């Protein structure tokens, strides 16, 4: 079956400015990759265990899976979106 256009929802914890900045950075990255982006939205502190949440529907295309793996690798680097200059 065909996979629809890439879509992602981005949420950041209410009051977490660092998470909000990262959410905006991710939004820009996904929009430049021509994904349809919802958010960043505010997630209530009681609902968000961490400062930032990214969600997409399943199944995902091979390209979306590769994007996830790239983001995961970037988050493990000190100069990735979790710290340093994200540009």
């Amino acid at each position: 079956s065909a996979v629809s256009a890439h879509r992602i929802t981005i949420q950041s914890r209410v009051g977490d400015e660092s998470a909000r900045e990262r959410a905006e950075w991710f939004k820009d990255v996904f929009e430049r990759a021509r994904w349809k982006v919802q958010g960043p939205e505010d997630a209530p502190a009681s609902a968000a265990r961490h400062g930032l949440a990214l969600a997409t529907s399943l199944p995902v295309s091979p390209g979306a899976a590769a994007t996830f793996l790239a983001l995961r690798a970037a988050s493990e680097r000190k100069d990735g979106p979790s710290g340093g200059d994200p540009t």
Side-chain angles (χ1 to χ4, degrees):
S1 68
V3 176
S4 63
H6 298 308
R7 297 175 190 274
I8 192 161
T9 300
I10 303 172
Q11 292 182 330
S12 62
R13 182 185 263 182
V14 172
D16 186 336
E17 289 303 313
S18 176
R20 180 55 126 187
E21 289 174 15
R22 284 178 286 176
E24 295 290 345
W25 183 84
F26 275 115
K27 177 180 181 173
D28 182 56
V29 168
F30 281 104
E31 286 179 339
R32 283 189 276 149
R34 297 191 174 118
W35 283 52
K36 295 183 191 260
V37 179
Q38 181 177 338
E41 301 172 344
D42 289 331
S46 61
R49 294 184 327 165
H50 301 287
L52 183 64
L54 304 173
T56 189
S57 61
L58 295 174
V60 296
S61 69
T67 300
F68 167 77
L69 294 174
L71 289 170
R72 191 167 106 184
S75 71
E76 294 171 357
R77 294 179 49 196
K78 291 181 182 175
D79 60 349
S82 61
D85 181 11
T87 58

